[in-house]
Amino acid sequence: MKPFKNTIVKVFLLIITFGILSTQAQTKSQNNDIWLHYVGKNMLTKKLSFTLEATMRYANGFSEKQQYFIRPSFDYQFTKHFIGSVGYSHYNTYVYGSPAINKRPIPENHPWVQGTFNHQFGDLKLTNRLRNEFRFVGIATSTVTPPTSQNDYAITDYKFRDRVRYMVLATYPILKKDKKPVLNAFVGDEAFMNIGPLGTDITKNNVGKTFMNQNRVIVGLGYVINPHHQIQLSYIHQNIWNFSDTIEESNPTVRISYLTTFSFAKK
């Protein structure tokens, strides 16, 4: 079983590397982002939990809104190492940056399924997370000719685009009290991969011109206030390739996260 899991990881890493090296955008832009992030995990039984995740993202300091989302999910602990999840996400991505990827704010809705594998190697925790997102993305169409502002566009349709996200994250306690972690360091990477026919013809349900949709390098610290509350400060370098591969964003990002864990399970 272990060799099989190792093979899966190696295959994903090769795919990610190939996607990054083979993707070339015409125009590169940079936005200095700040993300405010919340994750609340609520145990309903010893194995079943409800998680609510939400974020507000800003570009170039707090000067421009980048995106918000809300993401509820149900998670089930099948084994000591494996958690299966089903969830739903609602996004709204704003017009930001220069050049801007979007003509007007774009809504997006998608259900998703996810598997999370956690392994402990002494104090080191290794997390592998694979999520399949079934995306329904709003399509902006101009309402006047020629359009001169985002108000001249309207969402006239939603198109299905399939995407897989793979994240690997290593977490290590660098400070303990009474043998319990107080300060954790973590580092990882998350790749967003378009699944389906590549191209830019939306009438053929093309998922985009590039295999890679996004990539995020993650490094940070987590301060454990108590078993129920944690604050994290992360640096994320976010790369985004737009649908037509005419723009590649390379965004240095600071993320401030507040995590809660509560149990409503009967003891």
Side-chain angles (χ1 to χ4, degrees), residues 73-88:
S73 68
F74 286 97
D75 317 286
Y76 191 82
Q77 185 93 41
F78 285 93
T79 69
K80 179 181 178 181
H81 300 293
F82 176 71
I83 300 172
S85 304
V86 293
Y88 163 81

Side-chain angles (χ1 to χ4, degrees), residues 127-142:
T127 299
N128 288 276
R129 188 180 75 187
L130 183 65
R131 179 186 298 166
N132 193 178
E133 298 177 321
F134 308 102
R135 307 168 65 205
F136 295 89
V137 182
I139 303 300
T141 305
S142 60

Side-chain angles (χ1 to χ4, degrees), residues 76-136:
Y76 191 82
Q77 185 93 41
F78 285 93
T79 69
K80 179 181 178 181
H81 300 293
F82 176 71
I83 300 172
S85 304
V86 293
Y88 163 81
S89 300
H90 171 72
Y91 287 85
N92 193 59
T93 304
Y94 295 93
V95 179
Y96 67 91
S98 181
I101 285 179
N102 296 329
K103 303 295 186 182
R104 60 143 289 159
I106 300 297
E108 178 177 337
N109 300 285
H110 53 77
W112 49 269
V113 294
Q114 174 179 286
T116 304
F117 291 89
N118 292 307
H119 293 277
Q120 200 76 32
F121 304 94
D123 284 339
L124 177 66
K125 179 182 178 181
L126 185 64
T127 299
N128 288 276
R129 188 180 75 187
L130 183 65
R131 179 186 298 166
N132 193 178
E133 298 177 321
F134 308 102
R135 307 168 65 205
F136 295 89

Side-chain angles (χ1 to χ4, degrees), residues 17-38:
T17 303
F18 175 78
I20 292 173
L21 293 176
S22 63
T23 303
Q24 295 182 346
Q26 294 178 0
T27 303
K28 294 186 182 291
S29 66
Q30 179 175 306
N31 302 281
N32 301 307
D33 299 340
I34 298 174
W35 295 357
L36 306 178
H37 181 225
Y38 169 75

Side-chain angles (χ1 to χ4, degrees), residues 4-251:
F4 177 71
K5 291 179 180 178
N6 291 336
T7 300
I8 291 176
V9 172
K10 290 177 181 178
V11 169
F12 269 108
L13 290 177
L14 287 172
I15 291 173
I16 293 165
T17 303
F18 175 78
I20 292 173
L21 293 176
S22 63
T23 303
Q24 295 182 346
Q26 294 178 0
T27 303
K28 294 186 182 291
S29 66
Q30 179 175 306
N31 302 281
N32 301 307
D33 299 340
I34 298 174
W35 295 357
L36 306 178
H37 181 225
Y38 169 75
V39 183
K41 182 177 181 179
N42 304 279
M43 298 301 303
L44 305 178
T45 69
K46 291 182 178 180
K47 293 189 175 183
L48 178 67
S49 61
F50 172 76
T51 300
L52 179 63
E53 184 177 1
T55 196
M56 185 67 210
R57 295 171 174 171
Y58 297 89
N60 302 306
F62 289 104
S63 64
E64 298 177 273
K65 292 180 180 179
Q66 184 191 37
Q67 184 185 70
Y68 78 79
F69 74 72
I70 183 168
R71 180 184 291 140
S73 68
F74 286 97
D75 317 286
Y76 191 82
Q77 185 93 41
F78 285 93
T79 69
K80 179 181 178 181
H81 300 293
F82 176 71
I83 300 172
S85 304
V86 293
Y88 163 81
S89 300
H90 171 72
Y91 287 85
N92 193 59
T93 304
Y94 295 93
V95 179
Y96 67 91
S98 181
I101 285 179
N102 296 329
K103 303 295 186 182
R104 60 143 289 159
I106 300 297
E108 178 177 337
N109 300 285
H110 53 77
W112 49 269
V113 294
Q114 174 179 286
T116 304
F117 291 89
N118 292 307
H119 293 277
Q120 200 76 32
F121 304 94
D123 284 339
L124 177 66
K125 179 182 178 181
L126 185 64
T127 299
N128 288 276
R129 188 180 75 187
L130 183 65
R131 179 186 298 166
N132 193 178
E133 298 177 321
F134 308 102
R135 307 168 65 205
F136 295 89
V137 182
I139 303 300
T141 305
S142 60
T143 56
V144 299
T145 304
T148 58
S149 72
Q150 61 179 284
N151 295 325
D152 294 334
Y153 291 86
I155 302 299
T156 57
D157 195 9
Y158 284 81
K159 291 297 182 180
F160 173 71
R161 295 174 188 166
D162 197 1
R163 181 171 73 186
V164 167
R165 297 169 57 167
Y166 172 68
M167 183 191 75
V168 58
L169 187 73
T171 305
Y172 189 83
I174 57 176
L175 182 63
K176 290 184 177 182
K177 183 178 181 180
D178 299 328
K179 297 183 179 181
K180 295 182 179 179
V182 174
L183 188 65
N184 294 314
F186 51 87
V187 61
D189 186 88
E190 183 171 20
F192 296 57
M193 295 161 282
N194 289 317
I195 304 299
L198 297 180
T200 57
D201 188 345
I202 60 175
T203 64
K204 296 180 180 179
N205 288 326
N206 287 165
V207 294
K209 193 173 181 179
T210 60
F211 172 66
M212 292 297 294
N213 176 258
Q214 290 188 46
N215 193 75
R216 299 175 185 173
V217 177
I218 307 165
V219 60
L221 296 172
Y223 175 64
V224 181
I225 301 171
N226 58 46
H228 303 294
H229 302 274
Q230 183 180 159
I231 296 174
Q232 292 183 352
L233 180 64
S234 309
Y235 171 79
I236 299 173
H237 197 92
Q238 178 195 44
N239 286 86
I240 304 174
W241 293 269
N242 71 332
F243 182 77
S244 57
D245 193 28
T246 55
I247 301 172
E248 179 189 346
E249 289 188 12
S250 180
N251 301 330

